[in-house]
Amino acid sequence: MQLNQYIDHTILKPTTLISDIEKLCSEAKQYQFAAVCIPPPFIRKAKELLLGSAVKTATVIGFPFGYSAVEAKLAEVLLAVVDDVDELDIVINLIALKNNDWEYLANEINYLVPIIKEKNKVVKIIIESGVLTDEEIVKCCQLYGVAGIDYLKTSTGYAQNGASVHAVKLFRENLPPHVQIKASGGIRDYAFAKELIEAGATRLGCSSSVAIVSGKTANSEY
């Protein structure tokens, strides 16, 4: 298994340094990871560092809690597009979900996706599966599966529970075949990464990517 091709090499901590981004991009090129996932202020720097490589740039929107106003998320999207980001990982409004306001969630996604797709960018929607019931996950699959997204993503990495094989399988059973799955949060070794891919994940968000592809276990959190 060419695990490197599945990985979004990630750093999203609020204390990220330019030197961290330089190291991340250097490793991404060396190991030929699918993308780097970075805080919005570093998109331009990453684009510069990755010039000439096949590695994509991804950033996060409404991160990590998702309760930003739709208009604020749109402003973040537009700024990231101006910086020429390739992929956008958007956190849904979990407050709306937990209060059973599915109309809000539908309006949010229908507001953002057409604008993003018009710019030919990849859309990944983060639902934070570790804090959701199976029923809520299935409802998310039904809602977002028909919304024009490219990936449904398990988690931000900031909740108590991150990616799980169970959630990925549930995604795959309830999403249309064309919607891919990104697993993220707590992926620190090759064996777990492989399990997630076998369950249906086609992208993995990892901060311990080098250790994982080297067959080691890392202690760092995503």
Side-chain angles (χ1 to χ4, degrees), residues 7-12 23-24 27 33 37 184-188 204-212 218-222:
I7 289 176
D8 284 359
H9 194 27
T10 301
I11 187 165
L12 292 169
K23 181 172 182 284
L24 189 86
E27 291 171 344
F33 293 132
C37 191
S184 62
I187 307 171
R188 290 186 286 275
L204 305 174
C206 312
S207 60
S208 305
S209 318
V210 174
I212 290 168
N219 296 318
S220 64
E221 297 288 339
Y222 165 49

Side-chain angles (χ1 to χ4, degrees), residues 3 13 16 19 25-26 35 51 69-70 90 99-100 116-117 135 155 157 165 199-200 205:
L3 199 60
K13 61 184 181 180
T16 301
S19 58
C25 291
S26 175
L51 195 64
V70 178
I90 304 171
N99 284 279
N100 210 33
I116 297 167
K117 298 313 288 186
E135 182 184 3
S155 39
V165 170

Side-chain angles (χ1 to χ4, degrees), residues 11-219:
I11 187 165
L12 292 169
K13 61 184 181 180
T15 53
T16 301
L17 303 173
I18 290 177
S19 58
D20 296 327
I21 299 298
E22 290 171 341
K23 181 172 182 284
L24 189 86
C25 291
S26 175
E27 291 171 344
K29 289 193 293 185
Q30 179 183 348
Y31 290 91
Q32 298 181 308
F33 293 132
V36 295
C37 191
I38 51 174
F42 293 112
I43 297 168
R44 288 192 180 188
K45 182 64 176 177
K47 292 292 288 191
E48 175 190 317
L49 292 167
L50 294 169
L51 195 64
S53 78
V55 181
K56 303 295 185 185
T57 53
T59 197
V60 286
I61 304 296
F63 191 86
F65 300 120
Y67 47 47
S68 311
V70 178
E71 294 83 359
K73 289 180 180 177
L74 178 60
E76 289 184 60
V77 165
L78 294 175
L79 288 168
V81 167
V82 166
D83 287 343
D84 200 25
V85 78
D86 299 302
E87 304 180 353
L88 296 149
D89 293 31
I90 304 171
V91 187
I92 66 166
N93 190 314
L94 289 160
I95 288 177
L97 189 156
K98 284 297 184 180
N99 284 279
N100 210 33
D101 193 348
W102 294 92
E103 183 179 356
Y104 181 97
L105 293 172
N107 288 336
E108 178 181 67
I109 195 66
N110 290 333
Y111 187 62
L112 295 173
V113 166
I115 295 164
I116 297 167
K117 298 313 288 186
E118 182 184 320
K119 305 295 185 182
N120 295 313
K121 306 299 181 182
V122 170
V123 184
K124 306 190 201 103
I125 294 298
I126 310 173
I127 67 168
E128 206 67 273
S129 59
V131 300
L132 304 183
T133 65
D134 282 5
E135 182 184 3
E136 288 168 336
I137 290 172
V138 170
K139 281 187 177 181
C140 284
C141 290
Q142 293 168 345
L143 172 63
Y144 295 107
V146 296
I149 70 170
D150 299 290
Y151 290 82
L152 195 65
K153 178 176 171 180
T154 58
S155 39
T156 60
Y158 279 79
Q160 185 174 354
N161 300 313
S164 71
V165 170
H166 173 73
V168 171
K169 286 181 176 178
L170 203 56
F171 279 25
R172 192 64 283 156
E173 288 166 7
N174 292 280
L175 284 170
H178 68 274
V179 178
Q180 299 185 68
I181 298 166
K182 178 176 174 180
S184 62
I187 307 171
R188 290 186 286 275
D189 61 64
Y190 180 91
F192 186 39
K194 187 169 179 286
E195 273 190 274
L196 292 165
I197 291 168
E198 288 171 347
T202 49
R203 198 75 75 86
L204 305 174
C206 312
S207 60
S208 305
S209 318
V210 174
I212 290 168
V213 297
S214 302
K216 300 173 184 175
T217 298
N219 296 318

